[in-house]
Amino acid sequence: MPGFQFPARALTCALLAGGLLAPAGAQTPVAGRSTGEVTARVLQLVNKARSEGRRCGAERFPPTAPLAAAPPLEAAAAAHARDMAQRDYFAHRGKDGREPRDRVRAAGYAARLTGENIAFGPDSAEEVVAGWLASAGHCANLMDARFRHTGIGFATGRQAGHIYWVQTFGAPGGA
């Protein structure tokens, strides 16, 4: 699945239409916040969407169980976000040729199924989740009941406004 870059006008519409726009000052921006605080807010917003169910493009997803944070998935997500930020690229395939499933496996998570959402640009937890929910494929990853675990990472690039986000998903049980 391709990554999602957030055009400002489209993102504003998605935030308003999706009902995730927090009151002024209530957003969780990257600047001035701890990584743990931001990633916890992303997980909270994702789990809220999962608890309500939703339509992702033409596909309807019923409410489903919350995702639990998994340290190996968090490590894989954070490492990929840092790599994209440091090496100035935006893709699921790393510069080393590894795909999401390879990074998840290397981080020590035994998965029977993996997924990944990436984003470039949003400066808050609310913006990145709203953008993913507004994109059918990213939304489907968020809502997929087969996924039980997740990891969230972000990194700031060398230029202002270059924030790279990664959310990995896993269903345990692989070899």
Side-chain angles (χ1 to χ4, degrees):
M1 170 185 313
F4 190 74
Q5 294 186 26
F6 294 83
R9 175 171 261 180
L11 180 58
T12 301
C13 295
L15 287 169
L16 295 174
L20 288 175
L21 189 60
Q27 291 201 11
T28 310
V30 169
R33 305 285 177 137
S34 72
T35 299
E37 186 178 0
V38 175
T39 59
R41 179 65 174 148
V42 170
L43 182 56
Q44 178 186 38
L45 293 167
V46 166
N47 281 337
K48 182 178 186 303
R50 286 173 65 92
S51 75
E52 297 169 350
R54 68 181 47 245
R55 181 171 300 283
C56 300
E59 192 172 0
R60 176 81 180 122
F61 290 85
T64 191
L67 293 168
L73 295 178
E74 291 172 348
H80 188 50
R82 277 191 311 273
D83 189 56
M84 287 191 295
Q86 290 169 355
R87 298 172 78 182
D88 194 28
Y89 72 99
F90 180 66
H92 289 286
R93 179 186 297 265
K95 291 281 189 177
D96 60 3
R98 293 192 312 167
E99 297 286 344
R101 68 182 167 275
D102 303 319
R103 291 188 291 274
V104 165
R105 190 175 301 124
Y109 185 89
R112 66 178 165 79
L113 179 67
T114 61
E116 179 178 84
N117 284 351
I118 62 176
F120 173 76
D123 66 0
S124 73
E126 291 76 11
E127 287 178 341
V128 75
V129 173
W132 282 333
L133 289 172
S135 164
H138 295 90
C139 179
N141 272 348
L142 291 172
M143 297 302 299
D144 191 327
R146 297 173 298 174
F147 292 132
R148 290 291 179 220
H149 299 117
T150 191
I152 301 152
F154 66 91
T156 303
R158 288 172 251 173
Q159 295 181 342
H162 284 203
I163 302 172
Y164 298 81
W165 296 83
V166 178
Q167 183 172 19
T168 56
F169 302 92

